[in-house]
Amino acid sequence: MTQNDAFYFNKQEPNKGCLLALRDIILKQDENIAETTKYGMPCFCYKKKAFVYLWVDKNTKEPYILFVEGARLNHPELEAGKRSRMKILRVNPVIDIPAQKLASLLQRALDLYRKE
């Protein structure tokens, strides 16, 4: 089992299934996306530049996607918190993931990298 796989399979349900689904959705967005591990969490890079991370909130115990360039994305469900550059999208693991909405947001984030 790789370090990437271990992150997912060491989680309890429903987070494990949710995180695996998020992983699949992210990887399907572009052939130039690769998964690695940074800071102990799954990191998804576009052409070797980190663009999103997956993590589980310590307080709510729910998964979220951290958008590295979140400050450049305007979406009502993205939260900046105390971060100046990054924003997160919380994902409820017990309801269906809004795949179309998530794919659209991921594409908007990728467009920031494609233009560079």
Side-chain angles (χ1 to χ4, degrees):
M1 183 180 305
T2 68
Q3 185 179 7
N4 292 339
D5 292 335
F7 172 83
Y8 302 97
F9 290 101
N10 288 332
K11 301 291 183 238
Q12 298 295 315
E13 291 296 352
N15 284 350
K16 178 168 54 174
C18 180
L19 289 163
L20 286 167
L22 292 172
R23 174 194 212 186
D24 188 52
I25 291 168
I26 293 167
L27 289 171
K28 287 182 177 179
Q29 297 307 305
D30 191 288
E31 64 185 19
N32 293 303
I33 296 174
E35 182 181 17
T36 187
T37 301
K38 291 186 180 184
Y39 314 109
M41 64 181 90
C43 175
F44 298 86
C45 299
Y46 177 77
K47 294 185 177 180
K48 299 186 179 182
K49 291 181 83 174
F51 97 99
V52 295
Y53 291 85
L54 288 179
W55 197 242
V56 177
D57 186 280
K58 291 175 185 160
N59 297 320
T60 67
K61 308 293 189 232
E62 291 184 340
Y64 64 83
I65 302 172
L66 184 139
F67 289 82
V68 174
E69 294 296 335
R72 296 170 58 193
L73 295 169
N74 186 17
H75 190 279
E77 293 182 43
L78 290 177
E79 302 173 22
K82 296 178 183 175
R83 301 170 197 88
S84 60
R85 179 180 177 197
M86 302 177 185
K87 289 184 181 178
I88 66 168
L89 175 70
R90 295 181 185 278
V91 181
N92 185 334
V94 296
I95 62 172
D96 288 342
I97 295 170
Q100 295 288 12
K101 178 172 60 173
L102 178 55
S104 174
L105 189 53
L106 288 165
Q107 286 299 317
R108 287 178 45 205
L110 284 167
D111 285 344
L112 299 171
Y113 292 81
R114 292 176 181 134
K115 293 176 183 177
E116 291 181 349

